Amino acid sequence: MFTGIIEEIGAVTAVSPAGDGVRLTVRAPLAVSDAGHGDSIAVSGVCLTVIDRGDDWFTADVMRQTLDVTTIGGVAPGTAVNIERATAAHGRLGGHIVQGHVDGAGRILEVRPGAQWSVVRISLPADLAPLVVDKGSIALDGVSLTVSAVSAADAAEPWFEVSLIPETLAATTLGARAPGDPVNLETDILARHVQRLLAFTPAPAGTIEGGSR
């Protein structure tokens, strides 16, 4: 589990084929300072497992499903990535509960710079729109953020906005993002569970599909 508080900006140093997936090598000195084989490290919000490591790098295997759902499929040597180690049980929950299980990718639609912060608007896949609420939590490329605005429920092209303070702009890769860039999205775990539970909720007695009896 993670909290969405980025510890360092790492860099992809190698991407090599591995079956139908890839083997990814990332330079991340802080993350590997106490990492061991089998440990979890979030790379731009994607939970990966350390299979090898050196003094300032680690290697992880990325399966095909992860490549299809996240932005990891588009990285190359030199790509900057957000890095967070799994949170310790005795640590502070500085952001929110983040699993590192990305729901899908959005795309930056607009960046509105301000005197002290930037407001960023991101497209939202239609199936994820019900899970994102104003003032709720969302992980954007692994960064724990608060939703500052959402599109209407009947919007043809759903979107949401986040407001980034100077610290977030400087300490994560989000400060370099521009319109058109893809970003990983992880919605709140509670919202996902509620949505799934509702899918199994029986219809009230006396109703039929399409309306009341």
Side-chain angles (χ1 to χ4, degrees), residues 71-146:
T71 63
I72 294 294
V75 302
T79 299
V81 288
N82 292 321
I83 299 293
E84 182 189 357
R85 292 170 291 186
T87 188
H90 62 276
R92 291 186 174 89
L93 185 60
H96 71 282
I97 295 175
V98 177
Q99 294 181 295
H101 302 160
V102 172
D103 295 303
R107 196 167 295 274
I108 293 180
L109 301 174
E110 181 184 4
V111 178
R112 303 195 303 273
Q116 295 296 324
W117 59 83
S118 288
V119 177
V120 182
R121 179 173 291 191
I122 303 103
S123 67
L124 189 59
D127 60 323
L128 300 184
L131 306 177
V132 180
V133 300
D134 188 23
K135 303 303 184 289
S137 296
I138 193 165
L140 188 63
D141 272 354
V143 183
S144 174
L145 296 169
T146 299

Side-chain angles (χ1 to χ4, degrees), residues 8 34 38 46 55 63 67 95 108-109 142 149 154 167 169 177 184 193 203:
E8 65 179 323
D34 62 353
V46 181
D55 291 337
M63 70 177 68
L67 297 176
I108 293 180
L109 301 174
D154 60 353
E167 174 63 19
L169 294 170
R177 292 288 184 254
N184 290 321
H193 275 295

